[in-house]
Amino acid sequence: MKHRAALFVAPLLLLALLPGAATAAGPKANPQAQSRAAVLAYWTPERIASARPIELKHAAKPNAKPGGGGGGSGTTTGASWPASATDPITKGTGKVLFSMGGGNWVCSGSVATDTRNTYSLILTAGHCVVDADTGEFATNWLFVPAYDIKPTFTCANTQFGCWTASALVARSEFANAGGFNDEAVRHDWAFAVVGGGGKTANAGLQLDATVGGSFALDATAGVGSTVTALGYPAAEKYRGNDLVYCQGTTSTDAQTGNTTYSLPCGMTGGSSGGPWLTNASAGFGAKLKSLNSYGYANVRNMYGPIFNAETAKTLSVANGTTSGNVEVTGQ
């Protein structure tokens, strides 16, 4: 029997993630925004080093055996991105750290286009913001852009510093799914709202101004599109310090009734929330088509939600939010 997990983890680990082992549902614990100083103080080098891929926490039983994967002609299924301090893709993609359910976890994210001059937005997976089992929102949420350039356990020594969330915005369907099931994966996106951040030299600046740009959301249908998926996989065989990418053509996952995307890709746990970009060669002109969401053991494919009007509504709400945890409904 195979199990869907929030992105790929080693098959032996998946064996321990049976549906019955999921966190029991209970009252939501949704503390509101923390101060930047409190979050930065929380992430000691020891806590950062011990944080694990969030994919180890989530699993659900699919309806049937998933289909085969693998790369075809012109397909890249998990290579090191040519990262540099001047490359927009490197600068616009980053590593995410957060606490949830009594543990410390890692994911990936990207800088999304907003319309404000005081706050910026980060797109990531819903399960990197709220627990689908319990509806509990994350705490100690932190984003490190261009982590590949200077992977370090000290924010002051990273390329562009760290940004902390003043608000987290996710879909109600995900937060109330009751588990990492089909309903959850169809709505597995979220936005973190961040104010001024960075390092001493650029403290208080917006994130998009610091890294030089952002990626706009593309909520139109995209089956058959060529995309570049990026992230910071931290489960075997990766270590979480390298920006990795897959590139190929999107299809759909029959296990969700063809309501989510499929992409040949071998990235592992830790890359959840990393962006799927169309026209990546355009740098910050690339568009956000989906993100790394889940996978199946022994299937070399990545799966992600199909961005739509509900995604656009989530971004719109996040664009007007400054603090707190928000569950979005409607279009």
Side-chain angles (χ1 to χ4, degrees):
M1 181 180 294
K2 293 186 179 180
H3 299 86
R4 178 193 298 128
L7 244 180
F8 289 95
V9 295
L12 289 178
L13 292 174
L14 277 176
L15 294 177
L17 291 173
L18 298 174
T23 303
K28 291 185 179 181
N30 290 336
Q32 298 301 297
Q34 302 162 279
S35 71
R36 172 175 167 81
V39 176
L40 294 179
Y42 178 83
W43 287 112
T44 62
E46 293 75 20
R47 286 185 172 132
I48 294 175
S50 65
R52 299 178 297 160
I54 188 61
E55 295 81 6
L56 300 181
K57 189 177 190 301
H58 295 284
K61 180 180 177 181
N63 296 324
K65 181 180 178 181
S73 177
T75 299
T76 300
T77 58
S80 179
W81 182 262
S84 77
T86 60
D87 169 51
I89 304 302
T90 305
K91 295 191 292 182
T93 308
K95 192 179 186 76
V96 171
L97 293 158
F98 60 99
S99 303
M100 184 186 291
N104 294 323
W105 311 98
V106 294
C107 275
S108 301
S110 58
V111 185
T113 299
D114 69 284
T115 60
R116 294 183 286 184
N117 57 14
T118 51
Y119 291 90
S120 298
L121 297 179
I122 299 162
L123 171 70
T124 190
H127 65 268
C128 303
V129 161
V130 60
D131 191 331
D133 295 325
T134 65
E136 173 193 359
F137 274 76
T139 57
N140 302 310
W141 205 96
L142 182 82
F143 179 73
V144 186
Y147 186 77
D148 189 324
I149 303 303
K150 293 181 180 179
T152 176
F153 294 153
T154 304
C155 286
N157 293 332
T158 60
Q159 183 68 25
F160 296 108
C162 298
W163 270 258
T164 63
S166 65
L168 297 172
V169 181
R171 287 297 302 188
S172 176
E173 295 91 339
F174 186 92
N176 296 283
F180 198 68
N181 50 35
D182 287 357
E183 181 72 359
V185 298
R186 283 193 290 265
H187 296 89
D188 192 17
W189 63 77
F191 293 90
V193 180
V194 298
K199 301 192 290 187
T200 302
N202 56 10
L205 290 182
Q206 276 189 278
L207 171 60
D208 49 7
T210 300
V211 301
S214 60
F215 305 116
L217 183 75
D218 180 358
T220 60
V223 176
S225 300
T226 298
V227 299
T228 302
L230 299 119
Y232 282 89
E236 187 180 350
K237 61 182 180 179
Y238 300 100
R239 295 288 182 265
N241 294 332
D242 187 29
L243 182 60
V244 176
Y245 79 104
C246 299
Q247 192 171 78
T249 302
T250 59
S251 56
T252 55
D253 181 8
Q255 301 307 306
T256 62
N258 299 316
T259 58
T260 52
Y261 288 129
S262 174
L263 177 72
C265 188
M267 280 195 283
T268 62
S271 55
S272 276
W276 291 19
L277 299 173
T278 56
N279 194 24
S281 61
F284 283 122
K287 300 293 181 65
L288 295 164
K289 199 64 168 177
S290 184
L291 52 78
N292 304 322
S293 174
Y294 67 97
Y296 300 96
N298 302 319
V299 178
R300 197 176 175 83
N301 269 24
M302 180 81 71
Y303 302 86
I306 295 177
F307 287 173
N308 52 28
E310 293 177 336
T311 320
K313 173 68 178 293
T314 315
L315 185 149
S316 177
V317 171
N319 195 38
T321 299
T322 59
S323 64
N325 300 317
V326 180
E327 296 178 15
V328 179
T329 60
Q331 297 184 358

